Amino acid sequence: MSIRYDVESGVATVTLDRPDALNALVASMKADLLAALTRAAEDDAVRAVLVTGAGKAFSAGQDLREHAGNLAAGKGLAGTVRHHYNPIVRTITEMAKPVIAAVNGVAAGAGASLAFACDLRIASENAKFAMAFAAIGLAPDSGASWTLPRLVGPSVAAELLLLGDPVSAERARELGLVSRVVPADELAKSARELAVRLAEGPTRAYAATKRALAFGAAHTLSQSLDLEADLQDACAATADHQAATAAFVAKERPVFHGR
């Protein structure tokens, strides 16, 4: 198996585990990744998801050896964008739980797009991002044309996608691609602490927040206001909201159960 899946303290950790190939994505690995993310989305015991890579890389993106073989066999892309990458990105973005990318090294092409699809990104000082699509004559995939402009603005997104120059971890933080950069030997601990914090939070409110952000990116203010009202009504009826309100009045620390 090229994907490791572990659950502890409400956090599902999904590890891309093909380190000898810089976690480059082959068909079987993409299928396993989608299965792991779907499992996390459907498991009520999981309240946050952490995605990371084994070894020195987060993911170098599509395995070009496999891709070259498909081209030589006349299979083209072999349907991987529609059947693998798109479902993976939809599962991450539509999941009713926060998803964190812990970027431990290079994240290139679809590997970078995978990180950008997550709700939060924390990077090692050794991390590096490269939108490598144009370098091999391809357009972006895995949602990069949607996520990048919203993270860094249309002008910088165009520069990253057209030129494909590598972006260091610190530059990524300056641009807004990641929210935190930490020393390499602290990444696992820092990402884990962030994931546990989210897993202990108001899961249904997080789901509503994800939905509101995605909706607001493609709708008017008036439409977003209407959705916010609906989402607030739904959240107000949750046990977590009612218990947290009572805890605030009593000057106690709220405890959330994801309900």
Side-chain angles (χ1 to χ4, degrees):
M1 295 286 288
S2 52
I3 298 294
R4 283 190 278 119
Y5 182 89
D6 303 286
V7 178
E8 184 180 351
S9 302
V11 177
T13 300
V14 179
T15 305
L16 309 178
D17 192 15
R18 198 174 171 235
D20 291 344
L22 299 181
N23 299 317
L25 299 160
V26 293
S28 60
M29 187 176 180
K30 287 174 277 191
D32 290 343
L33 175 57
L34 178 59
L37 292 169
T38 301
R39 179 179 175 185
E42 296 175 350
D43 186 351
D44 290 340
V46 172
R47 293 170 60 189
V49 178
L50 179 61
V51 181
T52 193
K56 297 180 179 180
F58 181 77
S59 173
Q62 173 64 40
D63 186 299
L64 291 184
R65 292 182 182 274
E66 180 186 71
H67 178 56
N70 288 333
L71 291 178
K75 297 180 181 178
L77 295 176
T80 193
V81 174
R82 289 185 174 85
H83 301 307
H84 290 139
Y85 290 128
N86 288 357
I88 287 169
V89 170
R90 287 192 179 103
T91 301
I92 291 172
T93 56
E94 296 173 6
M95 190 183 304
K97 302 164 186 180
V99 184
I100 304 160
V103 184
N104 51 303
V106 64
S113 299
L114 173 64
F116 299 153
C118 296
D119 301 302
L120 298 173
R121 284 156 299 284
I122 180 170
S124 156
E125 61 189 356
N126 296 333
K128 188 175 292 184
F129 297 88
M131 304 312 295
F133 301 102
I136 55 171
L138 288 176
D141 64 29
S142 305
S145 65
W146 193 94
T147 55
L148 265 180
R150 287 162 175 79
L151 289 170
V152 300
S155 180
V156 174
E159 180 178 345
L160 294 177
L161 289 168
L162 292 173
L163 300 181
D165 293 337
V167 176
S168 69
E170 188 55 37
R171 180 59 176 155
R173 187 192 63 78
E174 293 171 356
L175 291 174
L177 290 174
V178 302
S179 56
R180 305 182 190 184
V181 175
V182 299
D185 59 358
E186 295 179 14
L187 177 66
K189 179 176 180 291
S190 297
R192 176 74 186 169
E193 289 175 348
L194 179 59
V196 169
R197 176 180 173 182
L198 289 168
E200 293 175 346
T203 310
R204 292 180 64 179
Y206 292 154
T209 300
K210 287 184 65 167
R211 184 179 171 193
L213 288 170
F215 185 89
H219 293 81
T220 66
L221 172 60
S222 180
Q223 291 169 320
S224 297
L225 288 170
D226 288 339
L227 179 66
E228 285 180 349
D230 292 340
L231 293 173
Q232 285 289 51
D233 285 341
C235 287
T238 65
D240 273 349
H241 169 69
Q242 294 173 26
T245 302
F248 178 83
V249 172
K251 298 183 178 180
E252 297 173 349
R253 182 177 181 273
V255 177
F256 297 104
H257 298 283
R259 299 190 294 271

